[in-house]
Amino acid sequence: IKRATKKYSKAALDTLLEENGIELQTSAGGDSFAIATKFTKNEKSTALDILNEVVNNALLDNYDIEKVKQDKLNGIKNIKNG
């Protein structure tokens, strides 16, 4: 999820998160998707702005989508074969 957005390049987003001690975590299931964020009280405004940007203005190209799809399919194959 931490890809480029309309406002931030991937590198700028990574730097902003690191400089402010903000963590973004994602998880997905068969029919669900979740995003969790951790931040200090002082970084609440920045963290919520970043979360809004990531959720509403993510820039995903076909390569990103195909990579995620292949990663998920490989995970399923590993489970079936494991």
Side-chain angles (χ1 to χ4, degrees):
I1 186 101
K2 292 185 285 185
R3 307 265 191 234
T5 69
K6 290 180 181 177
K7 190 173 180 180
Y8 303 109
S9 68
K10 182 180 181 333
L13 182 59
D14 288 343
T15 299
L16 186 61
L17 291 168
E18 185 174 332
E19 287 177 349
N20 290 284
I22 298 168
E23 294 180 27
L24 286 179
Q25 300 171 341
T26 61
S27 62
D31 294 328
S32 64
F33 178 78
I35 300 174
T37 184
K38 293 181 182 179
F39 53 88
T40 64
K41 183 178 178 180
N42 294 338
E43 299 303 331
K44 177 182 175 183
S45 179
T46 302
L48 294 177
D49 286 344
I50 293 170
L51 182 60
N52 179 58
E53 182 70 15
V54 169
V55 169
N56 293 308
N57 296 308
L59 297 178
L60 296 173
D61 59 23
N62 286 336
Y63 174 81
D64 292 327
I65 294 168
E66 286 302 317
K67 177 150 179 30
V68 170
K69 189 189 310 183
Q70 285 303 313
D71 289 347
K72 296 298 179 186
L73 288 172
N74 288 336
I76 292 168
K77 288 177 187 174
N78 288 336
I79 291 170
K80 289 172 95 175
N81 296 330

